Amino acid sequence: MASIRLERLTKKFGKVVAVNNLNLEVRDGEFIALLGPSGCGKTTTLLMIAGIYRPTEGNIYFDDVLVNDVAPKDRYVGLVFQSYALYPHMRVYDNIAFPLKLAKVPRKEIDRKVHEVAKLTKIEELLDRMPGQLSGGQQQRVALCRALVKEPEILLLDEPLSNLDARLRIETRAEIKRLQRELGITSILVTHDQVEALTMSERVAVMHQGVLQQYGPPDELYDRPRNLFVASFIGDPPMNLIPVEFKKTDGKPALVTDSFVLPLAEAWGEVLGQMDQGEFTLGIRPEDVRLSTEKEGNALLGEVFLTEPLGGGTLVHFRFGEISFRVLAPREIKVDVGDKLWIIPDQEKLHLFTKDGLSVREVGRQDAH
Amino acid sequence: MSSGDPKRTGRAKGYLQAFLFLLPGLILILLFFLAPVIITAVMGFTNMDYRFQWNFIGLGNFFRMADDFLIPKILINTLVYTFGTLAIFNVTFGLILALLTTSISERVGLFFRALWLLPRFTPPVVYAAIWLWILSPTRNGLLNGLRVAMGLRPIAWISQFPWGVIIITNGIIGASMGMLIFTSAIKAIPRDYLWAARVDGASWFQEVRHIVLPLIRWPLMFITAYQTLSLLTSYEYILLITQGGPFHASEVWSLYAYNKAFSAYAGTYEFGYAAALATVLVLIGTVASIAYWKIFRFREMMAQPRIEVS
């Protein structure tokens, strides 16, 4: 097994900067995810770690050994492609055996290892088939086998679940996580699907336009997004983000828009009062809000515009002028369009971002340094 | 009206429509492919000469062919030329060019491929003239000039190496066809396969052997079959560079037929005998096509149409 360290990693394709000055550490045996929208540089990063792309600048270390100039075949990396890339002219058995054959492993040994890994992923009965005869889920397992059979020190997964149907995706998600735990192999998952990233990995690196936005455990990304991008990207249904102005009316702190005034807790008043600006973006997760027919504490009166039953609960849409606002209501609460309800945000779970898109908490932390 | 089964008339109408769509192509094939073959075959049973008389002499031309002392020599020349050029240049060298130019940077690769295509744009006579200069037996030829500069005696290249000359001169130009087809086939391989092979531990050679070659198997077989047929019937560079000489040493079947029909050195214009020779070549080509079709299992390459035509 190995730890991975990326240092000031940059990749340019002509004038396009695909990955920009990326610093990232993966601990030995850790499972992390690179998460971001398409074109954010996550696959490019993965291919640099695999040795297929050369970094334009910066360094890649495996266990503190610089591997920039090491050929892919000497990196002891297993890679599962989004397309699976199973060699179409080889049987499943030969696909899995291929890395061992190239490494000149004796035939008996190959046979043993292929069957062992096939048993691990439950595809033993498919070994004689051609890849074209397999379903997507089966191909995915074969690809995983081929990556694992040479017992790599690092497992790289490029969108391994995106070609599977929804149900299979959930099963395979758990399956890969189980395998990773069992084998204790350092793994990097590339995905655009936040659920995949948050459920499977110990830490998630959110990337946007080639730049690392935040790197931390799923809870941290969810509870304390460092900036507006992470706040808007993580969470489903997404966080409500509303441009507001901070004002004190009658000595009481409040966030003001053209359409509503939200009174703030004193603690927030103190934090925001110290800042040298008055304009912020308010972030509230739909699930961090209570709905009530009576006014309680710092609340906001709204009229229900639309309801979306989600099964486990109801997504309630409010509209304040131009601003739309979503609240996730538990299913016990019956809500109808046109109802007037008090919206009571959990003041401790409010997120406020400066004009530069940085979390106010983050600004405070930087001041403290 | 007592029209029959409506289903049946519908189908008949469908066939008529299909036939009408195929008709322009059929006319072209009939006019330019089938008609010449038939005329040649019929002419092969006459002793037609410069007087253009259709005197049928039965199998006379074919008996003559069996007795023609040159035929074994011509046949060997043809086989050596066809399969030598094919094996060394049109397939192997074309493949090497395609592999090398797709392994280096795109711009450099494109440059070399364009370079290799240049002879295709050059008029054959100019191309042949360049070779005549390169191979000239005098000390003014390119190769002999180099030999003389190194203190060696000039060599009469064409007389000494007639097979080598016709294979090289045709192969240099012929390799570009395979190069083009193989290049596009290699580029059509999803790069994930190649990347996966690299991560799996393949060197460049292993990548080529285990991934690229199996995946361009159809183009490889197609070029082999196609170039066999086109080499069997080609003679223009041989005519221009060696004239089939010295004394039939580089004369191939198609050139022999040409010489019988049009060349003054054969005496009279023996259209009848030449046509019989050409007919045999057509038969050889047909047999080769069928053999390739069977050996390479080309039927497997074809897919059923996705749409139904009623």
Short mmCIF file of all heavy atoms in Angstrom, two decimals, chain A residues 292-338:
data_model
loop_
_atom_site.label_atom_id
_atom_site.label_comp_id
_atom_site.label_asym_id
_atom_site.label_seq_id
_atom_site.Cartn_x
_atom_site.Cartn_y
_atom_site.Cartn_z
N SER A 292 -43.74 26.41 10.63
CA SER A 292 -44.70 26.48 11.72
C SER A 292 -45.84 27.41 11.35
O SER A 292 -45.67 28.32 10.52
CB SER A 292 -44.00 26.98 12.99
OG SER A 292 -44.96 27.20 14.00
N THR A 293 -46.99 27.16 11.94
CA THR A 293 -48.13 28.05 11.69
C THR A 293 -48.09 29.25 12.62
O THR A 293 -48.79 30.23 12.42
CB THR A 293 -49.46 27.30 11.89
OG1 THR A 293 -49.36 26.56 13.11
CG2 THR A 293 -49.73 26.36 10.75
N GLU A 294 -47.24 29.14 13.65
CA GLU A 294 -47.13 30.27 14.58
C GLU A 294 -45.74 30.84 14.57
O GLU A 294 -44.76 30.14 14.37
CB GLU A 294 -47.47 29.79 15.99
CG GLU A 294 -48.96 29.73 16.24
CD GLU A 294 -49.30 28.74 17.32
OE1 GLU A 294 -48.63 28.78 18.36
OE2 GLU A 294 -50.19 27.90 17.09
N LYS A 295 -45.66 32.13 14.85
CA LYS A 295 -44.36 32.79 14.85
C LYS A 295 -43.57 32.37 16.08
O LYS A 295 -44.06 32.37 17.18
CB LYS A 295 -44.56 34.31 14.86
CG LYS A 295 -43.26 35.07 14.75
CD LYS A 295 -43.49 36.57 14.60
CE LYS A 295 -42.23 37.25 14.15
NZ LYS A 295 -41.40 37.86 15.00
N GLU A 296 -42.34 31.95 15.82
CA GLU A 296 -41.45 31.58 16.91
C GLU A 296 -40.09 32.19 16.64
O GLU A 296 -39.53 32.01 15.56
CB GLU A 296 -41.26 30.07 16.97
CG GLU A 296 -42.49 29.29 17.37
CD GLU A 296 -42.23 27.80 17.19
OE1 GLU A 296 -41.12 27.35 17.51
OE2 GLU A 296 -43.13 27.09 16.69
N GLY A 297 -39.53 32.87 17.57
CA GLY A 297 -38.15 33.39 17.46
C GLY A 297 -37.93 34.18 16.19
O GLY A 297 -38.79 34.96 15.75
N ASN A 298 -36.74 33.94 15.60
CA ASN A 298 -36.37 34.67 14.39
C ASN A 298 -36.94 33.98 13.17
O ASN A 298 -36.34 33.08 12.62
CB ASN A 298 -34.86 34.78 14.28
CG ASN A 298 -34.27 35.53 15.46
OD1 ASN A 298 -34.84 36.52 15.92
ND2 ASN A 298 -33.14 35.04 15.96
N ALA A 299 -38.09 34.44 12.74
CA ALA A 299 -38.79 33.73 11.68
C ALA A 299 -39.17 34.67 10.55
O ALA A 299 -39.00 35.88 10.62
CB ALA A 299 -40.02 33.03 12.22
N LEU A 300 -39.73 34.03 9.52
CA LEU A 300 -39.99 34.73 8.26
C LEU A 300 -41.31 34.18 7.74
O LEU A 300 -41.50 32.97 7.72
CB LEU A 300 -38.84 34.33 7.32
CG LEU A 300 -38.60 35.01 6.02
CD1 LEU A 300 -38.29 36.48 6.24
CD2 LEU A 300 -37.41 34.33 5.34
N LEU A 301 -42.22 35.07 7.34
CA LEU A 301 -43.52 34.59 6.88
C LEU A 301 -43.49 34.43 5.36
O LEU A 301 -43.08 35.35 4.65
CB LEU A 301 -44.63 35.56 7.29
CG LEU A 301 -46.06 35.07 7.02
CD1 LEU A 301 -46.39 33.85 7.87
CD2 LEU A 301 -47.05 36.19 7.27
N GLY A 302 -43.91 33.24 4.89
CA GLY A 302 -43.91 33.02 3.45
C GLY A 302 -45.15 32.29 2.99
O GLY A 302 -45.83 31.66 3.79
N GLU A 303 -45.42 32.39 1.68
CA GLU A 303 -46.58 31.71 1.14
C GLU A 303 -46.10 30.57 0.25
O GLU A 303 -45.20 30.74 -0.57
CB GLU A 303 -47.41 32.70 0.31
CG GLU A 303 -48.74 32.12 -0.13
CD GLU A 303 -49.55 33.12 -0.96
OE1 GLU A 303 -49.55 34.32 -0.62
OE2 GLU A 303 -50.16 32.67 -1.94
N VAL A 304 -46.73 29.39 0.43
CA VAL A 304 -46.29 28.21 -0.32
C VAL A 304 -46.63 28.38 -1.79
O VAL A 304 -47.76 28.71 -2.16
CB VAL A 304 -46.96 26.93 0.24
CG1 VAL A 304 -46.58 25.73 -0.61
CG2 VAL A 304 -46.55 26.73 1.68
N PHE A 305 -45.63 28.18 -2.63
CA PHE A 305 -45.76 28.42 -4.08
C PHE A 305 -45.94 27.10 -4.82
O PHE A 305 -46.66 27.02 -5.82
CB PHE A 305 -44.49 29.14 -4.53
CG PHE A 305 -44.40 29.37 -5.99
CD1 PHE A 305 -45.17 30.35 -6.61
CD2 PHE A 305 -43.52 28.62 -6.77
CE1 PHE A 305 -45.08 30.57 -7.97
CE2 PHE A 305 -43.43 28.84 -8.13
CZ PHE A 305 -44.20 29.82 -8.74
N LEU A 306 -45.27 26.05 -4.32
CA LEU A 306 -45.26 24.76 -5.01
C LEU A 306 -44.83 23.70 -4.01
O LEU A 306 -44.01 23.96 -3.15
CB LEU A 306 -44.24 24.84 -6.16
CG LEU A 306 -44.09 23.65 -7.09
CD1 LEU A 306 -45.27 23.62 -8.06
CD2 LEU A 306 -42.79 23.76 -7.88
N THR A 307 -45.38 22.48 -4.15
CA THR A 307 -44.89 21.39 -3.30
C THR A 307 -44.47 20.20 -4.16
O THR A 307 -45.10 19.91 -5.18
CB THR A 307 -45.97 20.91 -2.30
OG1 THR A 307 -47.07 20.39 -3.05
CG2 THR A 307 -46.43 22.00 -1.38
N GLU A 308 -43.38 19.58 -3.75
CA GLU A 308 -42.90 18.38 -4.47
C GLU A 308 -42.78 17.25 -3.48
O GLU A 308 -41.87 17.23 -2.66
CB GLU A 308 -41.51 18.63 -5.07
CG GLU A 308 -41.47 19.53 -6.25
CD GLU A 308 -40.04 19.75 -6.72
OE1 GLU A 308 -39.55 18.91 -7.49
OE2 GLU A 308 -39.40 20.71 -6.30
N PRO A 309 -43.68 16.25 -3.52
CA PRO A 309 -43.54 15.12 -2.60
C PRO A 309 -42.35 14.27 -3.01
O PRO A 309 -42.20 13.91 -4.18
CB PRO A 309 -44.85 14.34 -2.79
CG PRO A 309 -45.66 15.11 -3.77
CD PRO A 309 -44.80 16.11 -4.43
N LEU A 310 -41.44 13.97 -2.08
CA LEU A 310 -40.24 13.20 -2.39
C LEU A 310 -40.31 11.80 -1.83
O LEU A 310 -39.33 11.07 -1.84
CB LEU A 310 -39.00 13.90 -1.83
CG LEU A 310 -38.70 15.30 -2.36
CD1 LEU A 310 -37.50 15.87 -1.65
CD2 LEU A 310 -38.46 15.27 -3.86
N GLY A 311 -41.44 11.43 -1.28
CA GLY A 311 -41.56 10.13 -0.64
C GLY A 311 -41.26 10.26 0.84
O GLY A 311 -42.15 10.21 1.67
N GLY A 312 -39.99 10.47 1.17
CA GLY A 312 -39.61 10.60 2.58
C GLY A 312 -40.04 11.92 3.19
O GLY A 312 -40.11 12.06 4.40
N GLY A 313 -40.32 12.88 2.39
CA GLY A 313 -40.71 14.19 2.88
C GLY A 313 -41.26 15.00 1.74
O GLY A 313 -41.50 14.47 0.66
N THR A 314 -41.45 16.29 1.98
CA THR A 314 -41.98 17.14 0.92
C THR A 314 -41.07 18.34 0.75
O THR A 314 -40.63 18.96 1.74
CB THR A 314 -43.40 17.66 1.29
OG1 THR A 314 -44.18 16.53 1.69
CG2 THR A 314 -44.04 18.33 0.11
N LEU A 315 -40.75 18.62 -0.51
CA LEU A 315 -39.97 19.83 -0.77
C LEU A 315 -40.95 20.97 -1.03
O LEU A 315 -41.75 20.91 -1.96
CB LEU A 315 -39.06 19.60 -1.99
CG LEU A 315 -37.97 20.64 -2.19
CD1 LEU A 315 -37.02 20.68 -1.00
CD2 LEU A 315 -37.20 20.37 -3.47
N VAL A 316 -40.92 21.95 -0.14
CA VAL A 316 -41.86 23.05 -0.21
C VAL A 316 -41.16 24.29 -0.78
O VAL A 316 -40.11 24.69 -0.28
CB VAL A 316 -42.43 23.38 1.19
CG1 VAL A 316 -43.51 24.45 1.08
CG2 VAL A 316 -42.97 22.12 1.84
N HIS A 317 -41.73 24.84 -1.84
CA HIS A 317 -41.13 26.03 -2.45
C HIS A 317 -41.88 27.27 -1.98
O HIS A 317 -43.10 27.32 -2.05
CB HIS A 317 -41.24 25.97 -3.98
CG HIS A 317 -40.40 24.88 -4.59
ND1 HIS A 317 -39.30 25.13 -5.34
CD2 HIS A 317 -40.54 23.53 -4.55
CE1 HIS A 317 -38.77 23.98 -5.74
NE2 HIS A 317 -39.51 23.00 -5.27
N PHE A 318 -41.11 28.26 -1.54
CA PHE A 318 -41.68 29.58 -1.24
C PHE A 318 -41.13 30.55 -2.24
O PHE A 318 -40.10 30.30 -2.87
CB PHE A 318 -41.28 30.02 0.17
CG PHE A 318 -41.88 29.19 1.25
CD1 PHE A 318 -41.22 28.07 1.74
CD2 PHE A 318 -43.12 29.54 1.80
CE1 PHE A 318 -41.78 27.30 2.73
CE2 PHE A 318 -43.68 28.76 2.81
CZ PHE A 318 -43.01 27.64 3.28
N ARG A 319 -41.81 31.66 -2.40
CA ARG A 319 -41.26 32.67 -3.30
C ARG A 319 -41.40 34.04 -2.66
O ARG A 319 -42.46 34.43 -2.19
CB ARG A 319 -41.98 32.62 -4.64
CG ARG A 319 -41.16 33.27 -5.73
CD ARG A 319 -41.69 32.94 -7.08
NE ARG A 319 -40.97 31.84 -7.70
CZ ARG A 319 -41.05 31.58 -9.00
NH1 ARG A 319 -41.81 32.31 -9.78
NH2 ARG A 319 -40.36 30.58 -9.50
N PHE A 320 -40.26 34.73 -2.60
CA PHE A 320 -40.26 36.11 -2.11
C PHE A 320 -39.80 37.00 -3.25
O PHE A 320 -38.60 37.10 -3.52
CB PHE A 320 -39.28 36.26 -0.94
CG PHE A 320 -39.62 35.38 0.24
CD1 PHE A 320 -39.00 34.16 0.41
CD2 PHE A 320 -40.57 35.79 1.17
CE1 PHE A 320 -39.31 33.36 1.48
CE2 PHE A 320 -40.89 34.99 2.25
CZ PHE A 320 -40.26 33.75 2.40
N GLY A 321 -40.73 37.60 -3.94
CA GLY A 321 -40.36 38.41 -5.09
C GLY A 321 -39.62 37.54 -6.10
O GLY A 321 -40.14 36.54 -6.57
N GLU A 322 -38.36 37.91 -6.36
CA GLU A 322 -37.56 37.16 -7.32
C GLU A 322 -36.93 35.93 -6.68
O GLU A 322 -36.40 35.07 -7.37
CB GLU A 322 -36.43 38.07 -7.86
CG GLU A 322 -36.91 39.24 -8.67
CD GLU A 322 -37.43 38.79 -10.02
OE1 GLU A 322 -36.62 38.27 -10.81
OE2 GLU A 322 -38.65 38.92 -10.27
N ILE A 323 -36.93 35.93 -5.36
CA ILE A 323 -36.18 34.90 -4.64
C ILE A 323 -37.04 33.67 -4.41
O ILE A 323 -38.15 33.76 -3.89
CB ILE A 323 -35.71 35.44 -3.27
CG1 ILE A 323 -34.88 36.70 -3.48
CG2 ILE A 323 -34.95 34.38 -2.50
CD1 ILE A 323 -34.81 37.57 -2.25
N SER A 324 -36.50 32.51 -4.81
CA SER A 324 -37.22 31.28 -4.47
C SER A 324 -36.49 30.59 -3.32
O SER A 324 -35.28 30.70 -3.18
CB SER A 324 -37.34 30.39 -5.71
OG SER A 324 -36.36 29.41 -5.70
N PHE A 325 -37.23 29.90 -2.51
CA PHE A 325 -36.71 29.36 -1.27
C PHE A 325 -37.30 27.98 -1.05
O PHE A 325 -38.51 27.80 -1.09
CB PHE A 325 -37.10 30.31 -0.11
CG PHE A 325 -36.37 30.03 1.17
CD1 PHE A 325 -35.22 30.73 1.49
CD2 PHE A 325 -36.84 29.08 2.07
CE1 PHE A 325 -34.54 30.49 2.67
CE2 PHE A 325 -36.16 28.82 3.24
CZ PHE A 325 -35.01 29.53 3.55
N ARG A 326 -36.43 26.99 -0.85
CA ARG A 326 -36.90 25.62 -0.70
C ARG A 326 -36.74 25.15 0.75
O ARG A 326 -35.71 25.42 1.38
CB ARG A 326 -36.11 24.68 -1.61
CG ARG A 326 -36.34 24.88 -3.08
CD ARG A 326 -35.36 24.06 -3.89
NE ARG A 326 -33.99 24.45 -3.62
CZ ARG A 326 -33.35 25.41 -4.29
NH1 ARG A 326 -33.96 26.04 -5.28
NH2 ARG A 326 -32.12 25.72 -3.98
N VAL A 327 -37.75 24.44 1.21
CA VAL A 327 -37.71 23.88 2.56
C VAL A 327 -38.08 22.41 2.48
O VAL A 327 -39.03 22.04 1.77
CB VAL A 327 -38.70 24.60 3.49
CG1 VAL A 327 -38.75 23.92 4.85
CG2 VAL A 327 -38.34 26.07 3.64
N LEU A 328 -37.30 21.57 3.15
CA LEU A 328 -37.62 20.15 3.19
C LEU A 328 -38.46 19.89 4.43
O LEU A 328 -37.96 19.97 5.55
CB LEU A 328 -36.32 19.32 3.21
CG LEU A 328 -36.47 17.84 2.97
CD1 LEU A 328 -37.02 17.56 1.58
CD2 LEU A 328 -35.13 17.13 3.16
N ALA A 329 -39.74 19.60 4.22
CA ALA A 329 -40.63 19.41 5.37
C ALA A 329 -40.80 17.93 5.62
O ALA A 329 -40.90 17.14 4.68
CB ALA A 329 -41.98 20.05 5.07
N PRO A 330 -40.82 17.50 6.89
CA PRO A 330 -41.08 16.09 7.18
C PRO A 330 -42.49 15.72 6.69
O PRO A 330 -43.36 16.58 6.57
CB PRO A 330 -40.99 16.02 8.70
CG PRO A 330 -41.03 17.41 9.20
CD PRO A 330 -40.63 18.32 8.08
N ARG A 331 -42.68 14.42 6.42
CA ARG A 331 -43.92 14.03 5.76
C ARG A 331 -45.14 14.18 6.66
O ARG A 331 -46.27 14.21 6.16
CB ARG A 331 -43.83 12.62 5.22
CG ARG A 331 -43.54 11.58 6.29
CD ARG A 331 -43.21 10.26 5.67
NE ARG A 331 -44.35 9.69 4.95
CZ ARG A 331 -44.31 8.53 4.33
NH1 ARG A 331 -43.18 7.84 4.30
NH2 ARG A 331 -45.36 8.04 3.72
N GLU A 332 -44.92 14.29 7.98
CA GLU A 332 -46.07 14.44 8.88
C GLU A 332 -46.77 15.78 8.65
O GLU A 332 -47.95 15.93 8.90
CB GLU A 332 -45.65 14.38 10.36
CG GLU A 332 -44.97 13.10 10.79
CD GLU A 332 -43.50 13.06 10.45
OE1 GLU A 332 -42.76 13.94 10.94
OE2 GLU A 332 -43.09 12.17 9.67
N ILE A 333 -46.02 16.76 8.19
CA ILE A 333 -46.61 18.08 8.01
C ILE A 333 -47.31 18.17 6.66
O ILE A 333 -46.71 17.89 5.61
CB ILE A 333 -45.51 19.17 8.09
CG1 ILE A 333 -44.89 19.15 9.49
CG2 ILE A 333 -46.10 20.54 7.77
CD1 ILE A 333 -43.86 20.23 9.71
N LYS A 334 -48.60 18.50 6.72
CA LYS A 334 -49.35 18.62 5.47
C LYS A 334 -49.29 20.07 5.01
O LYS A 334 -49.61 20.99 5.76
CB LYS A 334 -50.82 18.22 5.70
CG LYS A 334 -50.97 16.72 5.89
CD LYS A 334 -51.06 15.99 4.55
CE LYS A 334 -50.87 14.50 4.70
NZ LYS A 334 -49.46 14.09 4.61
N VAL A 335 -48.81 20.25 3.79
CA VAL A 335 -48.67 21.60 3.27
C VAL A 335 -49.40 21.70 1.95
O VAL A 335 -49.31 20.80 1.13
CB VAL A 335 -47.17 21.94 3.06
CG1 VAL A 335 -47.03 23.37 2.59
CG2 VAL A 335 -46.38 21.71 4.33
N ASP A 336 -50.12 22.80 1.76
CA ASP A 336 -50.81 23.00 0.48
C ASP A 336 -50.37 24.32 -0.12
O ASP A 336 -49.94 25.24 0.58
CB ASP A 336 -52.33 23.04 0.71
CG ASP A 336 -52.87 21.62 0.88
OD1 ASP A 336 -52.41 20.74 0.12
OD2 ASP A 336 -53.69 21.42 1.79
N VAL A 337 -50.47 24.36 -1.43
CA VAL A 337 -50.13 25.59 -2.13
C VAL A 337 -51.03 26.71 -1.61
O VAL A 337 -52.23 26.52 -1.44
CB VAL A 337 -50.30 25.40 -3.65
CG1 VAL A 337 -50.10 26.72 -4.39
CG2 VAL A 337 -49.34 24.34 -4.16
N GLY A 338 -50.43 27.87 -1.35
CA GLY A 338 -51.21 29.01 -0.87
C GLY A 338 -51.17 29.16 0.63
O GLY A 338 -51.50 30.23 1.15
#
